[in-house]
Amino acid sequence: MTELLFRADPYLRDCDARVVAVNDRGGVILDRTVFYATAGGQPGDAGTLEVPGLGALPIATTIYDDGKHVVHVVEGGASPLPEPGAEAHAALDWERRYRHMRAHTALHLLCALVKFPVTGGQIAADGGRLDFDIADPSAVSREMLESEINRLIAEDHPVAEQWISEADLAANPGLVRTMSVKPPTGSGRVRLVAIGEGGGIDLQPCGGTHVRRTGEIGRVTVAKPESKGRQNRRIRLSLA
Ligand SMILES: [Zn+2]
């Protein structure tokens, strides 16, 4: 299993690693990585993989192969690809990833403000969206959301992680806000992301990458909620 260095430190931009395997679709598996693989609505990272003798291979995206292995997808299936055992230096397109971290953390704040079930979501470099199951569209006001989310950002709340057992999560189903994304379980414990002291603003299972403090998000704008189906309302936000 690939060691996920971004779990302990999402601000790591590069790392040395060793090539474990190369698949037949131009995907490189390393023993450790700073690259986040597509999951939970957050896109996989792009960047470069520098291999002695091969130069800097462009990485178009990063995905999970079988749920365990992080696969760095070489752009255009460039060849030759590195051999297993080769040393490599993995470096993120940090500007893009940092925008994902800001947008992702902003969506947690949106989720905290809109007290309805989440049915879907997507993060991008310029912002993100969440879909909510809301019967009455007048229950959410664009102006109120934009002003409240920017207040929470300006208050510069801490963003931290907590771990609980799967049994404790099962006993507190209210912690799971997103019906469309299963919490990252399987190892006996679950990672929670806590915004504000003790998770007072938002507390929910999440395996993504976030900024350390809400102030890093910067100002956001919130678009008018769109109807996506009878009860589904899509709310988009954009980074400044
Ligand atoms: Zn998250």
Side-chain angles (χ1 to χ4, degrees), residues 7 36 40 104 108 111 160-166 168-170 172-179 181-185 189-195 202-208 210:
R7 277 285 154 75
Y36 180 83
H104 187 137
H108 276 267
C111 191
E161 66 170 20
Q162 294 177 9
W163 292 87
I164 62 168
S165 69
E166 287 184 22
D168 282 345
L169 182 67
N172 294 279
L175 283 172
V176 180
R177 287 292 312 277
T178 309
M179 297 185 289
V181 179
K182 287 238 182 326
T185 58
R189 55 183 208 150
V190 182
R191 178 189 194 238
L192 300 180
V193 171
I195 304 185
D202 187 48
L203 181 66
Q204 59 175 302
C206 187
H210 312 82

Side-chain angles (χ1 to χ4, degrees), residues 126-140:
D126 58 353
R129 62 160 170 89
L130 286 176
D131 294 347
F132 296 92
D133 184 359
I134 305 174
D136 175 12
S138 67
V140 288

